[in-house]
PDB file of all heavy atoms in Angstrom:
ATOM      1  N   VAL A 734       9.140  14.432  35.105  1.00 89.00           N
ATOM      2  CA  VAL A 734      10.030  15.490  35.345  1.00 89.00           C
ATOM      3  C   VAL A 734       9.873  16.061  36.751  1.00 89.00           C
ATOM      4  O   VAL A 734       8.709  16.471  37.121  1.00 89.00           O
ATOM      5  CB  VAL A 734       9.893  16.642  34.283  1.00 89.00           C
ATOM      6  CG1 VAL A 734      10.872  17.742  34.568  1.00 89.00           C
ATOM      7  CG2 VAL A 734      10.099  16.058  32.894  1.00 89.00           C
ATOM      8  N   PRO A 735      10.919  16.127  37.589  1.00 83.00           N
ATOM      9  CA  PRO A 735      10.812  16.668  38.957  1.00 83.00           C
ATOM     10  C   PRO A 735      10.318  18.077  38.905  1.00 83.00           C
ATOM     11  O   PRO A 735      10.753  18.949  38.106  1.00 83.00           O
ATOM     12  CB  PRO A 735      12.264  16.623  39.460  1.00 83.00           C
ATOM     13  CG  PRO A 735      12.937  15.549  38.673  1.00 83.00           C
ATOM     14  CD  PRO A 735      12.303  15.651  37.282  1.00 83.00           C
ATOM     15  N   GLY A 736       9.394  18.421  39.783  1.00 76.00           N
ATOM     16  CA  GLY A 736       8.808  19.761  39.851  1.00 76.00           C
ATOM     17  C   GLY A 736       7.649  19.913  38.885  1.00 76.00           C
ATOM     18  O   GLY A 736       6.874  20.896  38.984  1.00 76.00           O
ATOM     19  N   PHE A 737       7.434  18.963  38.009  1.00 78.00           N
ATOM     20  CA  PHE A 737       6.340  19.035  37.062  1.00 78.00           C
ATOM     21  C   PHE A 737       5.683  17.607  37.035  1.00 78.00           C
ATOM     22  O   PHE A 737       5.933  16.842  36.126  1.00 78.00           O
ATOM     23  CB  PHE A 737       6.803  19.384  35.620  1.00 78.00           C
ATOM     24  CG  PHE A 737       7.376  20.779  35.542  1.00 78.00           C
ATOM     25  CD1 PHE A 737       8.744  20.948  35.802  1.00 78.00           C
ATOM     26  CD2 PHE A 737       6.585  21.851  35.222  1.00 78.00           C
ATOM     27  CE1 PHE A 737       9.259  22.266  35.695  1.00 78.00           C
ATOM     28  CE2 PHE A 737       7.130  23.187  35.116  1.00 78.00           C
ATOM     29  CZ  PHE A 737       8.503  23.309  35.387  1.00 78.00           C
ATOM     30  N   GLU A 738       4.919  17.349  38.090  1.00 73.00           N
ATOM     31  CA  GLU A 738       4.428  15.959  38.237  1.00 73.00           C
ATOM     32  C   GLU A 738       3.526  15.550  37.077  1.00 73.00           C
ATOM     33  O   GLU A 738       3.316  14.356  36.903  1.00 73.00           O
ATOM     34  CB  GLU A 738       3.723  15.858  39.579  1.00 73.00           C
ATOM     35  CG  GLU A 738       4.623  15.944  40.767  1.00 73.00           C
ATOM     36  CD  GLU A 738       3.899  15.748  42.088  1.00 73.00           C
ATOM     37  OE1 GLU A 738       2.659  15.706  42.049  1.00 73.00           O
ATOM     38  OE2 GLU A 738       4.541  15.495  43.107  1.00 73.00           O
ATOM     39  N   SER A 739       3.001  16.514  36.347  1.00 84.00           N
ATOM     40  CA  SER A 739       2.057  16.134  35.274  1.00 84.00           C
ATOM     41  C   SER A 739       2.855  16.061  33.930  1.00 84.00           C
ATOM     42  O   SER A 739       2.219  15.879  32.872  1.00 84.00           O
ATOM     43  CB  SER A 739       0.975  17.122  35.178  1.00 84.00           C
ATOM     44  OG  SER A 739       0.157  17.088  36.279  1.00 84.00           O
ATOM     45  N   LEU A 740       4.156  16.192  33.946  1.00 91.00           N
ATOM     46  CA  LEU A 740       5.001  16.172  32.675  1.00 91.00           C
ATOM     47  C   LEU A 740       5.708  14.810  32.632  1.00 91.00           C
ATOM     48  O   LEU A 740       6.504  14.583  33.488  1.00 91.00           O
ATOM     49  CB  LEU A 740       5.909  17.294  32.626  1.00 91.00           C
ATOM     50  CG  LEU A 740       6.912  17.298  31.419  1.00 91.00           C
ATOM     51  CD1 LEU A 740       6.129  17.284  30.115  1.00 91.00           C
ATOM     52  CD2 LEU A 740       7.855  18.523  31.497  1.00 91.00           C
ATOM     53  N   THR A 741       5.448  13.958  31.645  1.00 90.00           N
ATOM     54  CA  THR A 741       6.176  12.764  31.461  1.00 90.00           C
ATOM     55  C   THR A 741       6.890  12.813  30.138  1.00 90.00           C
ATOM     56  O   THR A 741       6.302  13.277  29.149  1.00 90.00           O
ATOM     57  CB  THR A 741       5.199  11.624  31.427  1.00 90.00           C
ATOM     58  OG1 THR A 741       4.394  11.640  32.639  1.00 90.00           O
ATOM     59  CG2 THR A 741       5.901  10.263  31.362  1.00 90.00           C
ATOM     60  N   VAL A 742       8.151  12.438  30.120  1.00 92.00           N
ATOM     61  CA  VAL A 742       8.932  12.339  28.845  1.00 92.00           C
ATOM     62  C   VAL A 742       9.556  11.010  28.714  1.00 92.00           C
ATOM     63  O   VAL A 742       9.926  10.362  29.708  1.00 92.00           O
ATOM     64  CB  VAL A 742      10.047  13.424  29.000  1.00 92.00           C
ATOM     65  CG1 VAL A 742      10.931  13.446  27.693  1.00 92.00           C
ATOM     66  CG2 VAL A 742       9.510  14.836  29.205  1.00 92.00           C
ATOM     67  N   SER A 743       9.678  10.565  27.470  1.00 92.00           N
ATOM     68  CA  SER A 743      10.266   9.247  27.175  1.00 92.00           C
ATOM     69  C   SER A 743      11.096   9.335  25.976  1.00 92.00           C
ATOM     70  O   SER A 743      10.904  10.145  25.075  1.00 92.00           O
ATOM     71  CB  SER A 743       9.171   8.198  26.959  1.00 92.00           C
ATOM     72  OG  SER A 743       8.412   8.523  25.784  1.00 92.00           O
ATOM     73  N   LEU A 744      12.181   8.538  26.009  1.00 94.00           N
ATOM     74  CA  LEU A 744      13.146   8.425  24.848  1.00 94.00           C
ATOM     75  C   LEU A 744      13.425   6.962  24.632  1.00 94.00           C
ATOM     76  O   LEU A 744      13.750   6.250  25.632  1.00 94.00           O
ATOM     77  CB  LEU A 744      14.408   9.229  25.181  1.00 94.00           C
ATOM     78  CG  LEU A 744      15.482   9.120  24.125  1.00 94.00           C
ATOM     79  CD1 LEU A 744      15.083   9.818  22.776  1.00 94.00           C
ATOM     80  CD2 LEU A 744      16.792   9.723  24.625  1.00 94.00           C
ATOM     81  N   ASP A 745      13.327   6.505  23.448  1.00 93.00           N
ATOM     82  CA  ASP A 745      13.540   5.099  23.092  1.00 93.00           C
ATOM     83  C   ASP A 745      14.309   4.954  21.855  1.00 93.00           C
ATOM     84  O   ASP A 745      14.225   5.701  20.897  1.00 93.00           O
ATOM     85  CB  ASP A 745      12.243   4.365  22.961  1.00 93.00           C
ATOM     86  CG  ASP A 745      11.431   4.334  24.235  1.00 93.00           C
ATOM     87  OD1 ASP A 745      11.780   3.434  25.044  1.00 93.00           O
ATOM     88  OD2 ASP A 745      10.532   5.150  24.473  1.00 93.00           O
ATOM     89  N   TYR A 746      15.146   3.903  21.829  1.00 96.00           N
ATOM     90  CA  TYR A 746      15.918   3.493  20.663  1.00 96.00           C
ATOM     91  C   TYR A 746      15.424   2.157  20.143  1.00 96.00           C
ATOM     92  O   TYR A 746      15.131   1.277  20.984  1.00 96.00           O
ATOM     93  CB  TYR A 746      17.403   3.397  20.966  1.00 96.00           C
ATOM     94  CG  TYR A 746      18.261   2.847  19.853  1.00 96.00           C
ATOM     95  CD1 TYR A 746      18.601   3.646  18.782  1.00 96.00           C
ATOM     96  CD2 TYR A 746      18.641   1.498  19.882  1.00 96.00           C
ATOM     97  CE1 TYR A 746      19.374   3.150  17.736  1.00 96.00           C
ATOM     98  CE2 TYR A 746      19.431   1.021  18.855  1.00 96.00           C
ATOM     99  CZ  TYR A 746      19.739   1.796  17.745  1.00 96.00           C
ATOM    100  OH  TYR A 746      20.538   1.292  16.720  1.00 96.00           O
TER     101      TYR A 746
END
Side-chain angles (χ1 to χ4, degrees):
V734 180
F737 297 86
E738 291 185 348
S739 295
L740 175 60
T741 306
V742 179
S743 63
L744 177 67
D745 293 280
Y746 173 79

